[in-house]
Amino acid sequence: MFHSVAELLQLAEERQINISRVMLEREMKIRQQSEEEIMHMMEANLTVMEQAIEKGLKGVVSHSGLTGGDAVLLQRYIAGGHSLAGPLILDAVSKAVATNEVNAAMGIICANPTAGAAGVVPGTLFAVKEKLKPTRKQMVEFLFTAGAFGFVIANNAFISGAAGGCQAEVGSATGMAAAAIVEMAGGTPRQSAEAMAIALKNMLGLVCDPVAGLVEVPCVKRNGVGASAAVVAADMALAGIKSRIPPDEVIMAMYEVGLSMPSSLRETAEGGLANTPAGRKLEAMVLGGSQ
């Protein structure tokens, strides 16, 4: 039904429907299932996301000991009432971090678009929930909107850190979340697309450099920063700000940048933060004599 953001917008605008509806109807057609069945499947994903956040906010620690507890620290900081960024953004950061801390602790998460970038979409969703007061159905629709843009990115570029760096993982997730926030906040499909473009283009060049090859450092905190960027990009688009580079061209630029990245910066743990003195010490501590 659509392969580009331009085609996605054309479908939504011609029929005067939301992006989420376009994606829902695509899934119904492809899977040959009813609307109720598709919505039920997506709500199951929403439940997994919700449970991961709840678990992470109670405090978890990874088996390696590299990550854990930061989501709790942020919630305590927010409760103190002296934050600079404000409670909504920091709540999104905390909930994104919570999700990825659960992932690092071998808990159950919903990969969206990947396990390494699984915190951005739910982190933002459950943070803006406190302000926008959506119904459960609207929360499920949030995921369809995010999925529509993730679908386009995956089919025109990549969502894997091994293929295109962390710009393809956290970058894509940030764009997906920004677009979905806009729709939930009452923005137009075109504003959703602008938010995606603004978010993704500011993640261009982000490398994938996991310390010790584990999806923990710097991955968990990158999800938090991605969540904050998604909220800001959504606000910019809702304010009427546009990306000078069209959304589909931003995706193509991300693809070209990913192709130009050396393998040392694409999930191999051979470069970037993984190759710093501190990174190598952590690797030795975690892996010990197993190398």
Side-chain angles (χ1 to χ4, degrees):
M1 293 176 66
F2 62 90
H3 298 281
S4 66
V5 174
E7 291 173 349
L8 177 59
L9 288 179
Q10 183 177 2
L11 287 168
E13 292 174 345
E14 284 182 352
R15 297 181 54 202
Q16 297 186 332
I17 59 176
N18 287 333
I19 297 290
S20 56
R21 184 71 202 181
V22 177
M23 189 61 178
L24 173 60
E25 291 183 1
R26 179 196 176 276
E27 291 300 299
M28 290 166 59
K29 182 177 180 179
I30 296 296
R31 295 176 180 271
Q32 292 295 296
Q33 291 179 298
S34 68
E35 179 173 338
E36 183 179 4
E37 289 172 318
I38 298 296
M39 289 289 286
H40 180 72
M41 290 172 62
M42 188 62 91
E43 186 169 9
N45 293 331
L46 178 63
T47 298
V48 170
M49 294 176 184
E50 187 171 31
Q51 291 173 345
I53 288 172
E54 290 173 353
K55 183 176 182 179
L57 291 180
K58 291 177 182 177
V60 294
V61 178
S62 69
H63 293 287
S64 70
L66 291 178
T67 55
D70 288 342
V72 175
L73 289 177
L74 264 175
Q75 286 294 329
R76 289 175 184 166
Y77 178 64
I78 295 168
H82 303 295
S83 68
L84 302 177
L88 192 152
I89 287 181
L90 288 187
D91 192 40
V93 172
S94 175
K95 287 171 178 173
V97 167
T99 301
N100 281 82
E101 287 182 334
V102 168
N103 179 54
M106 303 301 173
I108 300 173
I109 52 91
C110 180
N112 55 108
T114 64
V120 181
V121 170
T124 54
L125 169 55
F126 282 92
V128 298
K129 174 192 174 187
E130 303 304 317
K131 181 178 181 66
L132 300 179
K133 308 298 182 186
T135 63
R136 191 74 174 178
K137 180 174 180 288
Q138 288 172 324
M139 294 178 72
V140 173
E141 289 170 345
F142 183 105
L143 301 182
F144 279 108
T145 305
F149 286 95
F151 173 80
V152 172
I153 295 170
N155 283 283
N156 289 282
F158 19 54
I159 55 172
S160 158
C166 200
Q167 61 166 5
E169 291 206 31
V170 171
S172 295
T174 301
M176 292 162 61
I181 294 168
V182 167
E183 181 172 301
M184 180 173 278
T188 66
R190 193 161 295 273
Q191 286 176 320
S192 283
E194 297 292 351
M196 186 283 297
I198 292 168
L200 182 57
K201 73 182 184 181
N202 284 289
M203 291 284 180
L204 291 187
L206 186 59
V207 302
C208 184
D209 50 355
V211 170
L214 303 174
V215 188
E216 297 191 48
V217 179
C219 319
V220 172
K221 294 183 181 70
R222 278 188 182 158
N223 274 260
V225 174
S228 69
V231 175
V232 171
D235 260 339
M236 292 174 74
L238 288 165
I241 296 172
K242 299 179 180 179
S243 171
R244 292 293 185 181
I245 308 301
D248 286 312
E249 293 184 29
V250 173
I251 293 171
M252 182 54 63
M254 189 265 277
Y255 178 66
E256 292 174 353
V257 170
L259 290 179
S260 69
M261 279 187 187
S263 62
S264 62
L265 301 178
R266 288 188 279 119
E267 210 172 338
T268 58
E270 294 176 351
L273 297 175
N275 197 39
T276 60
R280 290 304 179 194
K281 286 180 181 178
L282 290 171
E283 179 184 33
M285 177 189 77
V286 172
L287 302 182
S290 64
Q291 300 185 71

